[in-house]
Amino acid sequence: MRTGPARAANDRRHMPRTRPALLGRLGLPGLLAALMLALLALPAAAGAAQPRASFPDVEDEVMCDTCNVPLYTAESPRADQLRREIKELIARGETKTQIKATLKDRYGPAILAMPADSGFDLAAYLVPALVALGLLALLVVLLPRWRRRGRARPSGDLAGTAALSDDDARRLDAELERFDAR
């Protein structure tokens, strides 16, 4: 009887092949599907944590309260003061929504570049969308009518034009003759 490494190699050859427990239960397609689900869940988990606010991200959503222009384009001492204040709030570790809420509490809702999404301010979001949908619906209704009207009248048909008077017809014939003579 063999002992040592030779026996171990011989014993392994006669042992039945087994799959790892997880792969055996799920199979390769199941394991790949589980891996894909885990990878898809990573961005959702990352999005749940509030990211640290960045100055350009906050600056473009805040108005200068003296210039009445977005803070990123304002050039005034007051705009510089607001920029310093935002940088201090970012240094404290506040999120973008916390910073905007703080500024809104201190200076009122006019400090934010975007209107609130409730009450009358909601119209700023809804009216443009409704106008665009209305124009699209109007186009859907009118375009087939215009196309049918264009097919109903052949392009050579002069039924829609006014008849020429006798004088106009003679002048037209004379002009055409002169034109053809050239």
Side-chain angles (χ1 to χ4, degrees):
M1 180 167 215
R2 291 187 198 172
T3 60
R7 180 175 179 189
N10 192 24
D11 288 346
R12 273 184 289 212
R13 277 186 249 145
H14 296 293
M15 290 175 60
R17 293 186 100 187
T18 60
R19 292 183 177 178
L22 184 61
L23 186 59
R25 279 186 239 141
L26 296 176
L28 187 59
L31 183 62
L32 288 175
L35 183 63
M36 292 300 288
L37 284 174
L39 288 175
L40 288 174
L42 283 177
Q50 288 288 337
R52 184 182 163 115
S54 69
F55 178 72
D57 193 28
V58 176
E59 183 187 32
D60 67 352
E61 294 185 23
V62 175
M63 300 288 285
C64 176
D65 56 352
T66 57
C67 307
N68 291 326
V69 295
L71 189 59
Y72 67 91
T73 61
E75 294 182 19
S76 68
R78 176 64 180 141
D80 294 335
Q81 181 183 359
L82 281 170
R83 287 185 187 102
R84 281 192 303 274
E85 187 176 346
I86 291 170
K87 288 177 182 176
E88 287 173 10
L89 293 172
I90 290 171
R92 279 196 234 154
E94 291 190 19
T95 64
K96 179 180 171 181
T97 53
Q98 290 171 332
I99 292 170
K100 287 169 56 176
T102 301
L103 293 173
K104 184 178 175 183
D105 290 342
R106 289 182 189 166
Y107 305 110
I111 197 77
L112 300 179
M114 298 294 289
D117 58 353
S118 62
F120 182 74
D121 291 336
L122 187 61
Y125 296 104
L126 293 179
V127 169
L130 292 174
V131 167
L133 285 174
L135 290 174
L136 186 63
L138 188 66
L139 190 63
V140 166
V141 169
L142 292 180
L143 193 61
R145 289 184 184 179
W146 291 336
R147 293 187 68 172
R148 275 190 304 246
R149 190 179 305 158
R151 279 190 226 127
R153 184 176 2 132
S155 60
D157 185 16
L158 299 176
T161 61
L164 292 176
S165 68
D166 290 336
D167 286 340
D168 289 338
R170 272 182 287 195
R171 256 193 320 222
L172 179 62
D173 289 337
E175 288 289 329
L176 287 174
E177 285 176 21
R178 272 195 338 207
F179 182 73
D180 288 339
R182 288 186 192 175

